[in-house]
Amino acid sequence: MSGHDGTLGAPGEVMDGRLVLLGNAIVDLVMRVPALPERGGDIVSTGTTLTTGGGFNVLTAARRLGLPAVYAGAHGTGPFGDRVRADLAREGIEMVLAPVAEEDTGFCVAFVDGGERTFATSLGAEARLTEAHATSVLAALRPGDLVQISGYGLAYPVNGPVLASLVARLPEHIRVFLDPGPLADQIPEEVLAPVLERCDWVSCNQREGRLLTGRDDAQEAAAALAARLGPRTGVLLRADAAGCWLVPPGGEPLHIPGRRVTAVDSNGAGDAHTGAFLALLGHGLDPGTTVRGANAAAAFAVTRHGPATGPTLGELVDFLDGDPLAARLSSALGR
């Protein structure tokens, strides 16, 4: 297994590691609306679903592509916590922590209009990490695990310092991946700095890249973020239908085109990209091939309603429809 070059083994080698999510699995109330209401107004939803979301989307996207997945975040006692646990179990995702007593898991209202989404979140037990939780997570890690961190957790007043301290104590053999998320500019510098220092990969969308670098242009933002992070850390800057800018550790920005599709719901597309990237990297694929596969997984996800719509390998291969990448992924993932 290699160190800080961003790879995890020889091409095609299936690794023993797991995806361990230090994030938040919550319940999403997804409302499809023709447009967002004006302030003080109202709008009638054309369709509403209640589903587990947040970090659950990343875990399922990776699990469906063959990478074992573990939820290492907090979860509560109550109907939302029960739902999260049931959905994790259904997807074959393990859990590390016991439920937090006397507080339920939080929820998010997601308005989807024209394929775009807007969120409002109510925090719950997932935002109540403790040092005891961190100790349990550290004890549960195995050599080769891939640890995924979300900026949502880093921005929470209670979770942020706990997560920053936990990340600083991770063994060297653990690969660390950060998605700064929409709250990137609200993460305290004393929390964000040690996490960035430890990261092997950072993946963000164009808006988040602008918040972190002040650059509007996707390529410039990717290059600026890579320069900020240093040569041992890789960068992915997701640009929706335009694909993704990849900066391998110590390398130059490379544009990986996306696949154009008719989007019906962008909710969870970034999570599908992240989960697929981690799964394919965990199977030993090189970063360029991995990003092409992640782009395809995200494109597949936006053609489906719901937040947890990452494809299985069979679905991804069928979606690629004869593209040489399909054969490469089938061979690497053992289909």
Side-chain angles (χ1 to χ4, degrees):
M1 181 173 297
S2 62
H4 299 308
D5 61 355
T7 61
L8 294 164
E13 178 186 354
V14 179
M15 308 307 296
D16 294 329
R18 310 162 298 169
L19 169 58
V20 179
L21 183 86
L22 301 182
N24 310 300
I26 61 175
V27 171
D28 284 345
L29 176 63
V30 182
M31 305 181 71
R32 286 177 287 279
V33 295
L36 293 179
E38 63 181 351
R39 185 179 183 186
D42 195 356
I43 197 79
V44 175
S45 171
T46 59
T48 301
T49 55
L50 192 68
T51 181
T52 299
F56 176 76
N57 304 335
V58 176
L59 291 166
T60 57
R63 184 75 179 88
R64 290 171 186 175
L65 291 176
L67 186 68
V70 179
Y71 177 56
H75 49 104
T77 50
F80 288 163
D82 291 344
R83 185 181 186 105
V84 166
R85 284 184 288 274
D87 286 344
L88 289 167
R90 188 192 71 245
E91 292 284 342
I93 298 166
E94 301 175 28
M95 304 184 72
V96 172
L97 303 177
V100 174
E102 299 181 356
E103 184 166 11
D104 202 356
T105 290
F107 65 94
C108 171
V109 179
F111 298 98
V112 181
D113 63 305
E116 190 51 85
R117 73 272 191 268
T118 304
F119 300 121
T121 302
S122 176
L123 304 182
E126 75 287 345
R128 301 289 185 267
L129 281 179
T130 66
E131 181 57 33
H133 289 146
T135 300
S136 296
V137 170
L138 287 168
L141 293 174
R142 303 174 186 171
D145 280 346
L146 319 176
V147 167
Q148 165 72 10
I149 306 167
S150 165
Y152 280 110
L154 297 179
Y156 295 165
V158 173
N159 287 20
V162 174
L163 288 171
S165 174
L166 191 164
V167 168
R169 288 178 283 161
L170 290 174
E172 188 66 16
H173 59 73
I174 299 293
R175 303 298 89 202
V176 181
F177 302 80
L178 170 67
D179 186 337
L183 303 180
D185 60 338
Q186 299 180 39
I187 302 172
E189 182 61 25
E190 64 271 19
V191 170
L192 182 61
V195 175
L196 292 178
E197 174 66 24
R198 182 60 179 81
C199 278
D200 295 276
W201 287 93
V202 173
S203 176
C204 61
N205 64 25
Q206 198 162 347
R207 175 185 176 274
E208 295 154 6
R210 183 176 69 251
L211 292 177
L212 291 170
T213 67
R215 307 293 182 90
D216 289 317
D217 179 80
Q219 180 179 2
E220 291 180 2
L225 185 54
R228 174 181 178 181
L229 296 170
R232 58 156 283 178
T233 305
V235 169
L236 304 177
L237 196 145
R238 309 183 305 270
D240 299 326
C244 181
W245 283 94
L246 162 68
V247 187
E252 297 296 323
L254 174 66
H255 181 241
I256 309 293
R259 296 178 66 88
R260 295 198 174 274
V261 295
T262 300
V264 299
D265 185 354
S266 65
N267 191 17
D271 293 333
H273 193 282
T274 296
F277 176 82
L278 291 167
L280 299 178
L281 200 68
H283 280 277
L285 288 162
D286 64 275
T289 301
T290 297
V291 171
R292 287 192 289 274
N295 284 356
F300 175 93
V302 302
T303 65
R304 307 295 197 270
H305 285 294
T309 50
T312 63
L313 176 59
E315 289 172 333
L316 185 56
V317 167
D318 291 343
F319 178 72
L320 287 167
D321 192 25
D323 187 305
L325 177 61
R328 180 77 177 91
L329 297 182
S330 293
S331 174
L333 276 66
R335 183 184 181 188

